[in-house]
Amino acid sequence: MGYRKNLRIVCGNLKDKGSLIKTVLSSKPHKSAVRCVILRATTHGSSSPPSNHRIAAVISLGLESKTEACSCIQALMDRLHSTSNALVALKCLYTIHNIIGKGFFILKDQLSMYEYFGGRNFLKLLTFRDDLDPETREMSKWVRWYAAILEQNLLVSKVLGCHLYSKLAKNVIGKEKDNFSSSLNSDLLNDIDALVEFACEVGDLPDSLHLQRKSLVYEIVRSVGEDYRLVQREIGTRVAELEARMMSLSSSEWTQFLNSLTKFEDCKEGISLLFRNRNRNDELWDLVKETKAKLVAVMKERGNDGKRTLVVRFLQRTSGAS
């Protein structure tokens, strides 16, 4: 087993060098330079994440022009979809994550085009599987998990109208109670649905948590944790706002709100296992628990009021008939 893995590493390194040489000799020097940057950031050999300067080189490709940004995202997607190596796939996804978090608008815009045309699973890794050995099969689960989180990250950005890490999002955090005054109940509920779905993807983690000893997986979990911390804050502000509006919610909105809170609570265990009590945010969980209790109590009261109304109407009709 060790021999096969070592052979794969050697072959992977040779393949990387061959790809670099082929790219350098390409008749399209502009695109070849972009592809070289992507290849260097997503090499086969090491199980470490791409270095900071490799990530910075990728992100800088969004500075020059829209054409260069388009070539960057295309090269990255080609690399992701052409590999059957779990480490390479994770490095590609980690690079995409950094583009979402730190990239310039033009790069994010090109990435969003894939989400727009490709649909919910635009990264197309639902069936990814590296069958070299048991460990690579476990790593494949992390590839699928990470891809689902990044897909949901972009969907959340679309629903909220801004990227979680954008300056707009940072400026909104802490001021949202004022901004929510003009938001419809339905908009806030849809926001919560998307944010809770992100939390559920995080909580639906692979069972091979021991692989966090690998620096690449560890760094991925740390980065996801930063996203989840922002998602917690976004959920908290919206739950607090809807709690204040509770009496103005319709029956269908009450049901949607209650279902979202229940779904969020259901993924708490998986999230706690992943982060090992980091990002606990007990205040948020207390808020969710209290809000659920209020929702259930008021819904029961509304139900009793409805029953009393029906009885009164029945008595009025029978007394009128007599």
Side-chain angles (χ1 to χ4, degrees):
M1 193 70 70
Y3 171 77
R4 288 182 64 196
K5 185 165 286 187
N6 290 334
L7 180 62
R8 183 191 222 192
I9 291 172
V10 172
C11 291
N13 288 334
L14 290 173
K15 187 176 180 181
D16 286 340
K17 290 179 181 179
S19 297
L20 282 169
I21 293 170
K22 181 180 177 181
T23 302
V24 169
L25 297 176
S26 169
S27 59
K28 298 178 180 179
H30 177 73
K31 286 189 175 182
S32 68
V34 171
R35 289 188 177 275
C36 282
V37 172
I38 298 301
L39 285 169
R40 291 188 178 107
T42 58
T43 55
H44 282 79
S46 172
S47 61
S48 300
S51 63
N52 290 336
H53 78 275
R54 294 296 186 200
I55 294 295
V58 173
I59 289 174
S60 69
L61 294 172
L63 279 172
E64 297 298 328
S65 67
K66 183 176 180 179
T67 301
E68 188 174 67
C70 182
S71 297
C72 170
I73 300 301
Q74 182 65 57
L76 187 53
M77 289 298 184
D78 288 346
R79 178 72 159 166
L80 176 62
H81 293 144
S82 65
T83 189
S84 58
N85 185 300
L87 286 176
V88 174
L90 285 173
K91 289 178 184 180
C92 289
L93 293 172
Y94 180 74
T95 304
I96 290 171
H97 199 172
N98 274 271
I99 289 173
I100 295 172
K102 304 173 186 175
F104 299 99
F105 173 78
I106 193 169
L107 267 180
K108 293 180 183 179
D109 186 53
Q110 290 301 311
L111 188 58
S112 296
M113 294 298 289
Y114 274 85
E115 189 267 337
Y116 179 79
F117 289 108
R120 182 180 179 86
N121 304 117
F122 74 98
L123 291 174
K124 304 185 187 306
L125 294 174
L126 286 172
T127 59
F128 181 90
R129 185 177 174 87
D130 183 342
D131 271 322
L132 178 70
D133 58 36
E135 183 175 278
T136 59
R137 285 192 283 274
E138 288 301 319
M139 291 289 282
S140 299
K141 295 178 183 178
W142 287 93
V143 171
R144 297 191 294 271
W145 173 80
Y146 197 20
I149 286 172
L150 296 183
E151 288 165 344
Q152 189 62 28
N153 186 310
L154 286 179
L155 180 59
V156 166
S157 298
K158 181 194 288 187
V159 173
L160 299 188
C162 60
H163 289 281
L164 283 171
Y165 272 89
S166 69
K167 288 184 179 179
L168 176 58
K170 289 178 182 177
N171 288 337
V172 167
I173 289 173
K175 301 178 183 178
E176 289 187 324
K177 288 187 178 180
D178 297 331
N179 296 336
F180 285 154
S181 59
S182 59
S183 297
L184 298 174
N185 293 340
S186 58
D187 291 336
L188 295 175
L189 287 166
N190 289 335
D191 288 354
I192 290 176
D193 283 348
L195 292 161
V196 166
E197 191 61 39
F198 180 94
C200 289
E201 295 292 359
V202 173
D204 189 21
L205 68 160
D207 51 14
S208 50
L209 290 175
H210 62 279
L211 288 179
Q212 289 188 68
R213 69 176 186 271
K214 292 184 177 294
S215 57
L216 177 56
V217 177
Y218 178 86
E219 181 61 24
I220 285 169
V221 171
R222 187 197 64 78
S223 299
V224 169
E226 290 181 358
D227 287 358
Y228 174 63
R229 186 166 58 250
L230 291 177
V231 165
Q232 282 182 315
R233 294 166 73 174
E234 298 286 341
I235 290 175
T237 52
R238 285 162 175 79
V239 170
E241 177 65 22
L242 284 171
E243 182 190 26
R245 299 185 188 186
M246 194 175 290
M247 301 310 296
S248 70
L249 299 178
S250 67
S251 296
S252 60
E253 288 170 341
W254 279 62
T255 302
Q256 183 180 352
F257 193 19
L258 184 59
N259 288 342
S260 293
L261 296 181
T262 301
K263 190 174 183 180
F264 185 40
E265 282 190 324
D266 288 344
C267 65
K268 181 180 179 180
E269 183 179 354
I271 291 171
S272 299
L273 281 173
L274 179 64
F275 298 125
R276 297 182 181 180
N277 291 325
R278 301 190 302 272
N279 299 321
R280 281 179 57 177
N281 199 342
D282 291 335
E283 289 184 4
L284 174 60
W285 293 113
D286 289 343
L287 173 63
V288 169
K289 184 177 180 180
E290 292 167 7
T291 304
K292 267 190 69 177
K294 290 179 183 177
L295 276 169
V296 171
V298 179
M299 286 177 78
K300 286 182 178 178
E301 184 61 31
R302 278 192 175 185
N304 291 334
D305 287 344
K307 290 177 181 178
R308 282 194 289 268
T309 300
L310 289 174
V311 170
V312 169
R313 288 177 179 173
F314 175 76
L315 292 174
Q316 287 175 340
R317 286 198 300 270
T318 54
S319 62
S322 60

